[in-house]
């Protein structure tokens, strides 16, 4: 067994309060950790580095269960590595969250009766900075509540001076390398936020719409198209059919009349069209649909924009000035009056994109935007995973990653906002374009102006693993802590944040990927597996649960549900169960310390220990090995479950209970067991610490008298195993479990004492008779003892005298009724499984259920028959 030697234990151990009160200790403990600098990282340290960046929360945000879940995982990883002797950096910071932050400040202005246009760009940006300083970043305080061990002195913000320099630097390099360009493309446009938005900022939901089928053309040269966005027909520049569709072969190359306009449009043949879907003919609106835009490029069709930035119709005529939804109704009415509508379906439920910030329906729109050419960058990002430089965990998520990067489209990086990193490009009076680096002066003179767009928030957050370390300067921190050891994040942003960090990290850092491992986790859901949402009424503020049950309880609940890449269900009753676990740890440790548990001196030699002592130390070594393996495989649910059952079941329920007689008797054996129990508690509390840091800190420092478990050594597997002791205690557990079960079946209360005769001869259990009697409340047999029930188990025999303790007649009647029900169940299951016709038709899962029912019925019959036989007889 290894010793953890920080400071010697004091002569007398301070007494723990009778109850654990999280609210009284958590805040004080966290501030003490921060004051002592436990979470800071030294770039000059000779320790091996371990680096994780926080997925930067929005400056507008507050802690939700998703954050709490992710932060619990990261904090556990970094706390363990710190204890293992690594120079650990958990990099904190926040994202400026362009659209979200601008919307917040615009709403504040609206309360004053103002708009950002009233202030002007410079004054509005200043107002946003003011809001950020006064109201932004409340999540930092909430992270402290959770216990996040981040290096606060290194906290960064994506708009601070250093990160802004990094943004300008990489933009300039990409621009000079021909990887950034400006072009018209279809983008997601929010008519409320008045900006392009990324795919991840679009939320899709099923809306009630309408599907109308419209006749295009005249006479023999007609065809029917269907649409849910009738207003876009004003911008149609073709109708497309499949080249092999004979129904329309005579129309390909001809021009047909576009209803409600004075224009004719061509019929083109394009393989994009599915001839089996609908009529096999589709309207083509290149300026308002991404697929139509590609068809338009292939056939050199004009792009006609029919709406302005607020989604108001701009085409001259009767619909000009109408909102898109007003225009939709008016155009359908006009088509109906013209006899052009051949079918209408209402409601027509279909998936519609909405802006995640303001919930406005997103409009696909042709727009002049800035783009990153991603082909070479994406190939490098794919190669880094394929050649093993980066590992994705769990491995089955690799296919999703490759599906994205192998078919990555050019990235729209410009946003029509005022808050964000302004694009470092100046436009001249004669169409000149000059990109300016951080150390260069922009061009001046009449007609020169900076581009008005800002960069997509994901552009700056894609630099996060190295910009936070001082890049583009070659700082000691960058040299020490890049690349990151692991990235812990949700699978939902694998495509949007993770892939972009790979693109830019490999590009900026000369082919070195930003992290060695990508560990993906699922989403937190309610106890029924439903997505948490305010609109569903099931959203939870984790701070409420922390106030009620303590931060450790919330953390442990989240960790126990954390299977790699799988969604995490969570309910309040589970948090309450974790609170009970924290209380169990507290009460059991308090009892142990009051009864001689100590960490003073070396462990006794094995020959001085009882079999119970050797058993728990053997189980302890195995638990350390299991927990280490699960940590290395990011199996938080399994490691938490392993710790839960070891601590609660094996240490507190079995070892402490079995050792009570030893402690009560005193003497040398009590000292031996006290030292063993102290060792077990010391190691167990250190194993638990990364997941439940507060209660373990209080208990461990009190037990050991040492400085802090935060900087204690991580337990190493002692290598101690004793299979003989494990078998012996397994037999002991079988005896106790069987007798407990029999007592419960007979309706005896747990504390009710029963006279018993124990025959342990021929077994290794003789030394445990006192413990068996203590745990099972078995009295010594006295005069007149009569064994009314005899239980043979694990080679031992336990005779019980139940005379006068139960109503034998009532118990016999109850058991007989239960036996009849079990026999009926067996007969029904046997009949079904013997029916060949049934077996031929029934699904496999149904047959399996019946077989399970049969097996259970047979087990029940055997158990109940034994209980009846064991009843006392007159």
């Amino acid at each position: 067994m290894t010793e953890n030697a920080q400071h010697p234990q004091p002569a007398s151990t301070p007494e723990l309060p009778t109850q654990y009160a999280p609210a009284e200790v958590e805040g004080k403990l966290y501030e003490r950790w921060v004051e002592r600098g436990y979470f800071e990282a030294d770039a000059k340290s000779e320790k091996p580095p371990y680096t994780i960046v926080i997925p930067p929360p929005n400056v507008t945000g507050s802690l939700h269960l998703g954050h709490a879940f992710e932060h619990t995982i990261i904090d556990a990883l970094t706390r363990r590595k710190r204890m293992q002797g690594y120079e650990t950096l958990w990099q904190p910071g926040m994202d400026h969250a362009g659209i979200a932050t601008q919307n917040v400040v615009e709403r504040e202005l609206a309360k004053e009766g103002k708009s950002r246009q009233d202030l002007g760009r410079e004054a509005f940006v200043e107002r946003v900075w003011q809001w950020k300083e006064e109201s932004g970043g409340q999540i930092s305080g909430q992270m402290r509540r959770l216990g996040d061990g981040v290096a606060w002195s290194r906290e960064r913000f994506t708009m601070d001076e250093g990160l802004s320099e990094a943004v300008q630097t990489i933009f300039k390099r990409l621009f000079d390398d021909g990887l950034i360009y400006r072009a018209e493309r279809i983008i997601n446009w929010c008519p409320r936020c008045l900006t392009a938005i990324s795919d991840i900022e679009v939320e899709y939901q099923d809306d009630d719409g309408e599907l109308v089928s419209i006749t295009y053309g005249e006479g023999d040269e007609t065809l029917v198209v269907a649409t849910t966005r009738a207003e876009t027909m004003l911008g149609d520049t073709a109708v497309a059919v499949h080249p092999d569709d004979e129904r329309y072969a005579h129309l390909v190359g001809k021009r047909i009349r576009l209803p409600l306009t004075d224009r004719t449009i061509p019929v083109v043949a394009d393989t994009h069209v599915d001839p089996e879907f609908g009529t096999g003919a589709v309207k083509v609106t290149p300026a308002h649909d991404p697929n139509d835009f590609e068809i338009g490029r292939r056939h050199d069709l004009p792009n006609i924009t029919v709406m302005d930035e607020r989604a108001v119709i701009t085409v001259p005529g009767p619909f000009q000035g109408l909102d898109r939804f007003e225009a939709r109704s008016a155009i359908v009415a006009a088509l109906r009056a013209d006899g052009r509508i051949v079918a209408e379906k209402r409601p027509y439920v279909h998936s519609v994109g909405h802006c995640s910030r303001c919930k406005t329906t997103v409009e696909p729109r042709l727009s002049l935007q800035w783009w990153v050419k991603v082909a070479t960058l994406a190939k490098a990002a794919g190669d880094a995973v394929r050649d093993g430089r980066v590992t994705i965990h769990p491995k089955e998520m690799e296919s999703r990653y490759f599906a994205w990067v192998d078919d990555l489209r050019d990235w729209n990086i410009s946003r029509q906002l005022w808050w964000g990193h302004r694009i470092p490009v100046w436009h001249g009076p004669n169409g000149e374009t000059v990109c300016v680096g951080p150390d260069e002066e922009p061009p001046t003179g009449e007609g020169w102006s900076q581009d008005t767009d800002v960069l997509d928030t994901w552009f700056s957050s894609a630099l996060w693993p190295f910009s936070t370390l001082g890049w583009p300067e070659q700082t000691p921190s960058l040299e020490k802590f890049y690349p990151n050891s692991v990235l812990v994040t949700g699978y939902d942003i694998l495509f949007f944040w993770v892939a972009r960090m790979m693109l830019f990290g490999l590009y900026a850092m000369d082919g070195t990927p930003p992290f060695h491992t990508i560990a993906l986790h699922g989403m937190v859901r309610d106890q029924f597996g439903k997505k948490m949402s305010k609109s569903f009424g099931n959203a939870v503020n984790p701070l409420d649960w922390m106030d009620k049950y303590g931060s450790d309880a919330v953390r442990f609940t989240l960790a126990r549900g954390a299977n790699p890449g799988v969604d995490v269900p969570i309910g309040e009753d589970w948090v309450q169960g974790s609170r009970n676990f924290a209380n169990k740890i507290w009460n059991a440790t308090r009892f142990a310390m009051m009864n001689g548990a100590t960490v003073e001196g070396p462990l006794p030699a094995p020959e001085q220990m009882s079999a119970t002592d050797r058993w728990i130390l053997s189980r302890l070594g195995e638990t350390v090995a299991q927990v280490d393996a699960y940590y290395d495989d990011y199996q938080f649910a399994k490691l938490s479950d392993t710790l839960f059952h070891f601590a609660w079941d094996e240490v507190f329920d079995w070892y402490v209970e079995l050792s009570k007689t030893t402690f009560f008797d005193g003497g040398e054996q009590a000292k031996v067991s006290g030292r063993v129990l102290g060792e077990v508690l010391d190691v167990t509390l250190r194993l638990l610490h990364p997941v439940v840091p507060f209660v373990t800190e209080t208990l461990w420092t009190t037990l050991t008298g040492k400085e802090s478990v935060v900087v204690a050594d991580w337990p190493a597997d002692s290598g101690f195993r004793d299979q003989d002791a494990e078998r012996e205690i397994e037999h002991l557990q079988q005896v106790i479990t069987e007798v407990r079960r029999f007592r419960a079946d007979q309706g005896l209360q747990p504390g009710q004492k029963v006279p018993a005769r124990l025959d342990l001869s021929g077994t290794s259990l003789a030394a445990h008779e006192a413990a068996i009697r203590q745990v099972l409340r078995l009295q010594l047999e006295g005069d007149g003892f009569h064994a009314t029930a005899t239980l043979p188990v694990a080679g031992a025999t336990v005779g019980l005298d139940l005379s006068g303790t139960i109503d034998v007649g009532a118990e016999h009647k109850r058991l007989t009724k239960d036996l009849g029900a079990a026999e009926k169940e067996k007969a029904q299951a046997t009949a079904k499984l013997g029916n060949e016709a049934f077996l031929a038709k029934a699904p496999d899962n149904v047959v399996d259920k019946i077989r399970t029912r049969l097996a259970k019925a047979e087990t029940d019959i055997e158990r109940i028959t034994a209980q009846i036989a064991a009843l006392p007889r007159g």
Side-chain angles (χ1 to χ4, degrees):
M1 298 293 158
T2 58
E3 291 288 315
N4 178 275
Q6 291 176 305
H7 304 293
Q9 185 190 28
S12 60
T13 302
E15 187 173 326
L16 289 165
T18 56
Q19 291 184 325
Y20 177 51
E24 296 177 11
V25 301
E26 291 179 349
K28 295 175 183 177
L29 283 182
Y30 188 84
E31 291 310 313
R32 185 187 308 162
W33 293 336
V34 172
E35 289 168 4
R36 292 180 176 178
Y38 292 154
F39 305 142
E40 295 302 323
D42 183 2
K44 298 179 182 178
S45 169
E46 294 183 0
K47 297 178 182 178
Y50 186 80
T51 315
I52 297 181
V53 294
I54 188 173
N58 288 353
V59 68
T60 60
S62 60
L63 193 73
H64 57 64
L65 271 177
H67 288 126
F69 171 56
E70 186 168 80
H71 291 199
T72 294
I73 293 175
I74 299 175
D75 195 41
L77 287 172
T78 53
R79 283 179 183 269
R80 172 176 175 257
K81 285 297 182 180
R82 188 179 296 112
M83 295 171 75
Q84 286 182 318
Y86 286 78
E87 192 62 32
T88 303
L89 169 60
W90 182 9
Q91 173 66 53
M94 286 183 294
D95 191 280
H96 64 280
I99 295 177
T101 307
Q102 180 157 317
N103 281 348
V104 167
V105 178
E106 285 196 85
R107 284 196 293 270
E108 293 295 316
L109 286 174
K111 295 176 184 177
E112 303 170 15
K114 298 177 182 178
S115 68
R116 60 182 165 116
Q117 287 77 15
D118 294 331
L119 269 66
R121 183 167 192 148
E122 186 174 337
F124 176 78
V125 171
E126 183 60 36
R127 179 69 177 260
V128 180
W129 275 109
Q130 179 183 340
W131 175 89
K132 187 261 181 185
E133 295 304 318
E134 295 174 355
S135 306
Q138 62 173 311
I139 201 168
S140 295
Q142 296 165 343
M143 288 166 58
R144 293 171 181 262
R145 283 289 311 278
L146 188 64
D148 287 1
V150 300
W152 286 113
S153 69
R154 292 172 172 267
E155 188 174 13
R156 304 303 297 269
F157 179 56
T158 51
M159 287 280 287
D160 68 27
E161 184 177 351
L163 271 64
S164 294
E165 180 183 352
V167 167
Q168 194 172 354
T169 298
I170 200 164
F171 187 101
K172 171 69 172 174
R173 292 186 186 179
L174 289 164
F175 185 90
D176 290 347
D177 285 346
L179 296 176
I180 284 182
Y181 65 95
R182 198 181 190 209
E184 281 195 324
R185 297 283 189 276
I186 295 288
I187 45 86
N188 303 306
W189 181 265
C190 177
R192 156 61 183 82
C193 298
L194 300 180
T195 181
I197 59 177
S198 68
D199 291 340
I200 196 172
E201 292 161 328
V202 178
E203 293 180 347
Y204 287 90
Q205 66 184 48
D206 287 341
D207 286 358
D208 287 345
E210 60 181 349
L211 180 69
V212 294
S213 298
I214 310 166
T215 301
Y216 281 29
E218 303 289 351
D220 294 334
E221 297 182 348
T222 62
L223 37 68
V224 176
V225 300
T227 182
T228 58
R229 300 163 65 216
E231 69 279 7
T232 63
M233 68 167 293
L234 300 176
D236 286 358
T237 56
V239 173
V241 298
H242 193 276
D244 299 331
D245 195 334
E246 295 181 358
R247 293 173 296 175
Y248 305 116
H250 67 289
L251 291 178
V252 174
K254 293 185 177 181
R255 301 185 70 86
I256 61 174
R257 177 69 57 184
L258 178 64
L260 305 184
T261 72
D262 59 359
R263 292 193 292 116
T264 61
I265 57 176
V267 178
V268 299
D270 196 281
T271 55
H272 171 75
V273 180
D274 181 359
E276 303 298 324
F277 184 77
T279 65
V282 297
K283 60 191 288 296
V284 182
T285 319
H288 291 277
D289 183 274
N291 293 321
D292 292 2
F293 178 76
E294 296 302 325
I295 293 175
R297 290 216 295 182
R298 287 193 290 271
H299 298 277
D300 199 24
L301 300 175
N303 301 315
I304 299 177
T305 299
V306 301
M307 302 177 211
D308 66 12
E309 60 184 8
R310 298 184 184 276
V312 173
I313 301 298
T314 57
V315 178
F319 312 111
Q320 187 174 13
L322 295 180
D323 169 84
R324 56 183 163 163
F325 300 121
E326 297 172 335
R328 181 175 300 173
S329 298
I331 287 172
V332 170
L335 289 167
R336 191 182 301 115
D338 201 26
R340 294 280 179 173
I341 301 293
V342 297
E344 297 181 66
K345 185 176 182 180
R346 295 189 187 86
Y348 179 73
V349 179
H350 61 133
S351 182
V352 177
H354 295 259
C355 174
S356 62
R357 303 300 177 190
C358 68
K359 311 309 176 186
T360 301
T361 300
V362 168
E363 188 66 36
R365 183 171 187 260
L366 186 65
S367 180
L368 182 62
Q369 302 282 342
W370 288 94
W371 304 82
V372 172
K373 190 180 297 182
V374 300
T376 57
L377 302 176
K379 183 180 183 304
D383 290 345
V385 174
R386 287 189 170 95
D387 64 24
R389 282 175 290 157
V390 177
T391 301
I392 294 179
H393 188 89
K395 188 173 178 60
E396 53 264 29
M397 287 287 179
E398 278 188 3
S399 59
R400 299 178 67 172
Y401 175 81
F402 292 134
W404 183 254
V405 299
D406 291 350
D407 194 29
L408 194 61
R409 295 183 298 178
D410 285 0
W411 172 16
N412 169 25
I413 57 171
S414 49
R415 299 291 180 266
Q416 291 65 55
L417 303 171
W418 287 356
W419 171 245
H421 295 100
R422 195 164 174 180
I423 288 178
V425 170
W426 270 253
H427 303 288
N430 299 312
E432 303 96 330
T433 298
V434 176
C435 181
V436 178
D439 299 324
E440 300 172 346
E441 291 295 326
T444 58
E446 186 176 350
W448 283 95
S449 63
Q450 187 175 359
D451 197 284
T452 57
D453 288 352
V454 300
L455 287 164
D456 176 13
T457 299
W458 296 104
F459 190 96
S460 52
S461 59
L463 313 180
W464 193 247
F466 50 94
S467 63
T468 52
L469 298 174
W471 187 90
E473 300 298 324
Q474 295 303 306
T475 64
S477 289
L478 187 65
E479 183 177 351
K480 177 74 173 180
F481 296 112
Y482 187 91
N484 292 186
S485 305
V486 61
L487 173 75
V488 177
T489 193
Y491 64 71
D492 58 318
I493 55 174
L494 172 63
F495 310 144
F496 306 105
W497 187 44
V498 179
R500 283 162 167 72
M501 285 190 288
M502 290 285 283
L503 300 182
F504 281 1
L506 290 159
Y507 173 80
M509 301 302 292
D510 299 321
T512 301
F515 18 73
H516 296 302
T517 301
I518 301 168
L520 298 169
H521 59 72
M523 313 302 293
V524 177
R525 297 182 179 271
D526 70 12
Q527 64 266 43
F528 306 109
K530 190 174 182 180
K531 178 181 178 181
M532 285 193 173
S533 166
K534 290 182 180 178
S535 61
F536 294 155
N538 63 351
V540 173
N541 182 348
L543 295 176
D544 293 340
W545 282 353
M546 289 184 214
D547 291 339
K548 195 171 182 179
Y549 303 110
S551 297
D552 284 333
V554 175
R555 290 171 61 115
F556 193 70
T557 303
L558 291 165
R560 283 194 85 180
N563 290 297
V566 178
D567 288 346
V568 183
I570 184 172
E572 185 170 359
D573 55 336
W574 303 341
V575 184
Q576 185 175 350
S578 295
R579 187 272 312 273
N580 295 343
F581 179 52
N583 288 342
K584 181 78 170 182
I585 300 170
W586 182 273
N587 294 333
T589 303
R590 183 172 180 273
F591 169 85
M593 293 174 63
M594 291 172 61
N595 287 275
T598 178
V599 295
E600 287 184 344
L603 275 174
E607 55 268 22
Q608 296 178 275
M609 300 179 190
S610 67
T612 312
D613 294 333
R614 298 194 304 277
W615 164 75
I616 196 63
L617 290 175
S618 183
R619 294 297 306 128
L620 178 67
E622 180 63 30
T623 299
V624 172
Q626 285 182 337
V627 169
D628 274 332
Y630 288 142
Y631 260 114
D632 292 342
D633 199 33
Y634 304 98
Q635 297 278 359
F636 281 88
K638 291 182 179 179
L639 74 88
S640 299
D641 216 45
T642 296
L643 287 170
F644 174 86
H645 289 295
F646 175 72
W648 191 306
D649 299 343
E650 296 186 293
V651 179
F652 303 141
D653 277 0
W654 282 111
Y655 180 73
V656 171
E657 286 297 318
L658 293 174
S659 301
K660 278 183 179 179
T661 54
T662 301
F663 292 135
F664 294 163
D665 291 344
E668 287 303 313
Q669 191 58 48
K671 293 180 181 178
V672 170
S673 294
R675 179 64 189 90
V676 170
L677 180 53
E679 179 76 10
V680 172
L681 289 175
D682 171 14
V683 174
T684 302
L685 291 171
R686 282 187 279 151
L687 288 173
L688 282 165
H689 172 72
V691 181
V692 285
F694 294 108
V695 67
T696 52
E697 171 80 341
T698 305
L699 293 174
W700 189 85
T701 53
T702 305
L703 172 70
T704 66
K706 296 175 184 176
E707 180 183 341
S708 172
V709 70
V710 177
V711 290
D713 292 337
W714 179 253
D717 178 6
S718 64
F720 180 83
R721 301 290 190 276
D722 190 324
Q723 298 301 320
D724 291 338
E726 293 206 32
R727 280 191 294 271
E728 182 173 326
I729 301 305
E730 183 181 351
H731 291 157
L732 176 60
Q733 290 171 328
Q734 289 173 1
V735 171
I736 292 173
T737 300
E738 186 60 31
V739 175
R740 276 177 172 165
R741 183 183 297 117
F742 177 78
R743 287 178 57 113
D745 288 340
Q746 302 305 316
L748 298 177
Q749 296 300 314
Q752 190 172 350
K753 294 183 178 180
V754 178
R757 175 184 296 145
L758 304 184
D759 181 2
L760 307 176
S761 59
T763 73
S764 59
L765 302 180
H768 301 286
E769 179 168 351
I772 293 173
R773 291 186 177 277
Q774 165 71 26
V775 172
L776 291 173
R777 304 295 189 267
L778 301 181
Q779 295 175 316
L780 292 171
E781 55 188 288
D783 294 339
F785 175 84
H786 173 61
T788 60
T790 303
L791 304 177
V793 55
T797 303
V798 180
L800 301 173
D801 185 352
L802 302 180
S803 303
T805 61
I806 61 173
D807 184 336
V808 176
E811 188 64 15
H812 190 280
K813 185 176 180 180
R814 182 184 71 82
L815 290 172
T816 301
K817 182 180 178 181
D818 291 346
L819 180 61
E823 288 174 337
K824 182 179 179 181
E825 177 73 5
K826 176 184 176 181
Q828 290 176 341
T830 301
K832 284 189 176 181
L833 293 174
N835 186 334
E836 294 296 334
F838 170 77
L839 293 177
K841 296 179 180 179
D844 289 345
N845 64 319
V846 173
V847 176
D848 288 343
K849 286 182 180 179
I850 295 172
R851 287 182 177 137
T852 301
R853 284 168 47 194
L854 175 60
K856 182 179 184 302
E858 291 174 339
T859 301
D860 289 344
I861 291 170
E862 182 179 355
R863 174 179 56 81
I864 297 169
T865 301
Q867 288 176 229
I868 292 173
L871 285 173
R873 283 167 172 74

